[in-house]
Amino acid sequence: YDNQAVAAYLMEWIKTLHLMGYGDDSSPKWREACLDRYGFDPLMKPDGGSSDRLLTGEDMLFRVADAKCRGLPEDASRMILQDFRAGRLGPVSLQLAPRSSDDKGQVRVDVMRGVASLGGVGEEMTMAAEDRERLKAEQRDERARIAVETAKERGVELPPMVERRVDGISTGSRAGDEADDDAEDMSTPPPKEDEIGKGLFDGW
């Protein structure tokens, strides 16, 4: 597997546990170990930079590379993973059991900033599958609406079925949650007899 992606994601995951308030339960010595071994505090904003955010897992990987591995991120990733496996980062629990019978199973860890450039997960990939599909559909419908509005502004005559489709999208966005219940009613109606065989882009 990709050592750099795994090492960066590991550091991001542990950091997120601390930000969620589970640091003492999951990895009580991780912050101190990073200071001692790598020379940086993973929960402090970097000095001298214009950014006001904390280091990401990817940032930490390159910090280790610069400080300990002659700037080589592959060597740094191996060092981080070996330190983790050998216990040099202290005891680390990546999964959190429920604290009481009222908790609904294992605590979910939402990694707030992924390491997408190294093959990790970004914000969109942490979403549930249904949410991702809904987001894609909304983005697709918005692009279609903008395209039709632009075509009308330029005086392009659109086929009736295209306008009905975009009108249906606009109605659905205003309806909100009620649109799910009326999904069948919003489907594209069958074409009229004089529209059969007419392409969507005829006359464009």
Side-chain angles (χ1 to χ4, degrees):
Y1 55 80
D2 189 334
N3 289 313
Q4 295 181 41
V6 173
Y9 189 69
L10 170 67
M11 299 295 273
E12 181 72 20
W13 184 280
I14 298 175
K15 182 196 74 177
T16 302
L17 286 170
H18 279 260
L19 296 179
M20 291 172 61
Y22 293 98
D24 291 340
D25 296 333
S26 63
S27 49
K29 296 183 179 180
W30 173 70
R31 185 176 187 179
E32 180 181 349
C34 286
L35 280 167
D36 291 342
R37 290 191 61 77
Y38 309 139
F40 65 85
D41 187 337
L43 300 179
M44 291 289 290
K45 298 175 184 178
D47 295 331
S50 59
S51 175
D52 60 352
R53 63 172 174 80
L54 297 176
L55 295 172
T56 66
E58 188 174 90
D59 294 332
M60 296 181 209
L61 172 65
F62 285 98
R63 285 290 187 99
V64 175
D66 291 339
K68 298 291 183 179
C69 303
R70 306 180 307 282
L72 300 175
E74 181 63 24
D75 289 353
S77 67
R78 294 177 184 275
M79 181 179 186
I80 291 171
L81 294 175
Q82 289 172 2
D83 286 348
F84 168 69
R85 293 167 183 153
R88 287 187 283 269
L89 299 181
V92 177
S93 174
L94 299 178
Q95 296 179 328
L96 299 175
R99 291 178 169 177
S100 69
S101 58
D102 295 331
D103 292 340
K104 297 180 180 179
Q106 179 178 304
V107 176
R108 179 181 176 183
V109 180
D110 290 320
V111 178
M112 289 172 286
R113 283 188 300 274
V115 284
S117 65
L118 292 180
V121 301
E123 181 178 353
E124 182 178 337
M125 293 182 66
T126 63
M127 302 169 63
E130 288 185 11
D131 294 334
R132 288 201 303 271
E133 290 301 320
R134 187 181 303 109
L135 177 61
K136 289 179 181 178
E138 291 174 355
Q139 292 172 341
R140 182 175 60 249
D141 291 345
E142 179 65 13
R143 288 195 298 269
R145 184 187 64 77
I146 293 173
V148 170
E149 288 181 356
T150 302
K152 287 182 177 180
E153 290 174 359
R154 295 179 179 179
V156 177
E157 183 179 351
L158 300 174
M161 63 179 65
V162 173
E163 295 191 18
R164 284 203 300 269
R165 171 60 180 161
V166 173
D167 289 342
I169 292 172
S170 300
T171 303
S173 63
R174 288 193 301 267
D177 295 336
E178 295 178 2
D180 294 335
D181 300 331
D182 300 331
E184 295 184 1
D185 296 336
M186 289 176 55
S187 61
T188 304
K192 296 179 181 179
E193 192 170 323
D194 59 350
E195 295 174 353
I196 294 177
K198 185 175 183 181
L200 289 179
F201 303 101
D202 286 356
W204 283 42

